[in-house]
Amino acid sequence: MAAPLDGLRVLDLTSTFSGPYCTLMLADLGAEVVKVEPPGGDIARQLGASRTPGLAAVFLNMNRGKKSVVLDLKSAAGRAALARLIPTADVLVHNMRPGAADRLGLSYPEVAALRADIVHCVIPGFRSTGPDADRPAYDDVIQGASGMAWLQSINQDRPGYVTTPLADKLAGLTAATAVLAALRHRDATGQGQRVEVPMLETMIAFGLLEQLDGWTFEPPTGPPVYPRTAAPNRRPYRTADGHLCVLIYTGEQWDRFLTLVGRADLLRHPDFDTVGKRIANADRLYQVVASVLVEQPTGHWLAALREIDVPCAPLADYEEILRDADLRAAGFVSVVDHPAAGRLRTIASPISLSASPVTGYRHAPTLGQHTDEILASAGIAPAAGSGAGRDLGNGPGSGVGSGLGSDLGNGAGSDLGSGAGSHLGSDVGSGG
């Protein structure tokens, strides 16, 4: 059976995290994703653990199932080759700042002139119509500007970033959703369009969905903080021998739990006798839970809470998850052989579709692996590509700043410099 996006071609002119995560979602759903890289390769080729040059862990995980084409878009020949590729694509995605995209001829009017019904998706740090449109932005910057880093400070002594590049991945996931909506519109009308998913607004909307709380109303009835998630005692609970994660939510669950632990009197307490009151006074209830769970070991509480159908789970670290027998048996965690990087552990797509299964594991590409194949699909003979950046030169990482990579990065393109290793601390941004 064909995958849901089988037959669609996506030109991926993205780097680092947000854009590649968007196109990873599309590749998992069966799209042919053509990753256009500069002669030195995407900077992500050097992020994280590595044992093969140009195939570091972040790149291998973020770019599985894609094809790699090397084009130097700073050269006329490279831009000419891209202009030949655009008519073959259904979707084009980039995460450049507007000025950088314009310099490379990648504005929506220029791209639509080459294929009128194309879906042109942009994932900038800041919206293109705002005063910060051409400012660089990566995950940490957006976590700060969106309120997410401040939100982590509520029960800590200082602000903090969510440990995973949440802003990047959320923007990428939202962009993938928007691309699918635009493709549905094209199916119905034949019309392409420009899609913009700015990281800042995406993160603000995501965070304020519940945190808007009292500011939902005008005038506000309270602060823009959701009391349940901000409760100081909302954390993994200590048990006699470890930790346990428990969320008691409905009235029935509270009834069963409080009866189990001998505190049924709280069911009739005027501060807890409705859902609204329990949310407003959540921390006091969570304090009761904490005081009870510490008295018995984790195994005891897992068995007892599962018996009364109260949601709970042990606190797992990533090594435990990766060794989980059920996840391995289901194929969600597996070990595969990559032709260049050797034995790898990979995580499958979590999506399951009964009539159009998602694409199984496909290797992340080596730099320029598919250049001849993709250029040929646009009627460009292999020899003609030599001036378009097909000469891989000194190999991955030798000059990320020399081509497309120098203008990329989450809406940001803060000029990654003359070598991929030269500014990892200050310029890679999200997750770098």
Side-chain angles (χ1 to χ4, degrees):
M1 292 180 285
L5 299 186
D6 187 55
L8 285 170
R9 172 175 282 186
V10 177
L11 282 183
D12 178 359
L13 289 95
T14 71
S15 185
T16 60
F17 279 77
S18 66
Y21 193 64
C22 167
T23 57
L24 174 64
M25 300 296 100
L26 302 177
D28 281 349
L29 292 172
E32 179 192 34
V33 175
V34 178
K35 184 173 181 62
V36 180
E37 301 188 67
D42 181 353
I43 194 171
R45 287 186 176 275
Q46 298 176 67
L47 302 182
S50 177
R51 62 187 179 196
T52 305
L55 290 172
V58 167
F59 184 87
L60 289 166
N61 295 329
M62 194 77 80
N63 293 283
R64 66 175 185 261
K66 303 178 186 179
K67 297 181 177 181
S68 172
V69 173
V70 171
L71 296 177
D72 182 359
L73 298 186
K74 293 290 183 74
S75 74
R79 292 191 296 274
L82 182 64
R84 297 276 294 275
L85 285 176
I86 287 172
T88 73
D90 300 280
V91 179
L92 183 148
V93 184
H94 76 72
N95 57 349
M96 306 176 203
R97 288 180 277 177
D102 290 347
R103 288 192 297 274
L104 296 175
L106 291 173
S107 68
Y108 176 59
E110 291 171 291
V111 171
L114 298 170
R115 177 160 180 172
D117 66 348
I118 198 165
V119 172
H120 179 276
C121 179
V122 183
I123 312 172
F126 307 96
R127 73 179 188 278
S128 60
T129 57
D132 298 324
D134 267 313
R135 283 180 51 205
Y138 288 101
D139 183 87
D140 293 0
V141 174
I142 299 300
Q143 285 203 38
S146 67
M148 186 59 65
W150 167 81
L151 191 62
Q152 310 315 303
S153 73
I154 287 181
N155 293 316
Q156 303 179 38
D157 60 354
R158 58 184 178 182
Y161 301 125
V162 178
T163 305
T164 190
L166 181 63
D168 272 326
K169 291 193 279 189
L170 181 64
L173 183 60
T174 305
T177 303
V179 165
L180 295 177
L183 287 170
R184 177 66 185 93
H185 175 81
R186 192 181 75 170
D187 287 345
T189 68
Q191 181 183 37
Q193 62 183 299
R194 182 179 186 274
V195 174
E196 180 174 309
V197 181
M199 291 176 63
L200 177 62
E201 283 82 353
T202 300
M203 273 297 286
I204 291 173
F206 178 79
L208 285 179
L209 187 68
E210 79 290 339
Q211 298 298 332
L212 192 59
D213 203 58
W215 272 59
T216 300
F217 308 98
E218 182 56 39
T221 61
V225 175
Y226 185 51
R228 191 194 74 77
T229 58
N233 285 290
R234 179 190 172 240
R235 61 187 65 202
Y237 295 105
R238 185 174 294 280
T239 65
D241 63 352
H243 290 85
L244 186 67
C245 302
V246 181
L247 179 53
I248 309 163
Y249 211 81
T250 68
E252 292 81 3
Q253 289 166 357
W254 278 113
D255 190 342
R256 294 193 295 270
F257 175 81
L258 292 172
T259 299
L260 173 72
V261 301
R263 291 305 311 271
D265 58 296
L266 292 177
L267 295 170
R268 297 176 297 279
H269 194 287
D271 289 345
F272 309 123
D273 58 3
T274 69
V275 172
K277 291 178 181 179
R278 287 193 294 272
I279 293 297
N281 299 294
D283 195 57
R284 290 164 58 192
L285 283 174
Y286 291 170
Q287 198 167 11
V288 172
V289 177
S291 67
V292 169
L293 294 190
V294 74
E295 297 175 355
Q296 297 288 344
T298 302
H300 167 86
W301 289 119
L302 277 173
L305 296 180
R306 287 172 177 171
E307 178 68 24
I308 62 172
D309 203 28
V310 166
C312 61
L315 180 67
D317 64 37
Y318 279 143
E319 283 197 18
E320 291 175 298
I321 292 167
L322 292 169
R323 298 179 190 280
D324 183 87
D326 176 64
L327 294 177
R328 287 187 287 130
F332 183 68
V333 177
S334 60
V335 174
V336 299
D337 290 303
H338 189 285
R343 297 277 280 174
L344 304 176
R345 186 168 286 101
T346 185
I347 309 300
S349 169
I351 299 171
S352 177
L353 299 171
S354 63
S356 53
V358 298
T359 303
Y361 174 78
R362 295 176 293 169
H363 302 305
T366 55
L367 181 60
Q369 178 180 345
H370 305 93
T371 299
D372 288 350
E373 170 196 338
I374 298 301
L375 293 182
S377 73
I380 304 173
S386 60
R390 292 178 62 259
D391 182 2
L392 304 188
N394 295 320
S398 61
V400 171
S402 64
L404 181 58
S406 64
D407 287 314
L408 289 175
N410 270 330
S414 53
D415 297 322
L416 301 183
S418 59
S422 61
H423 299 292
L424 289 185
S426 61
D427 290 322
V428 175
S430 61

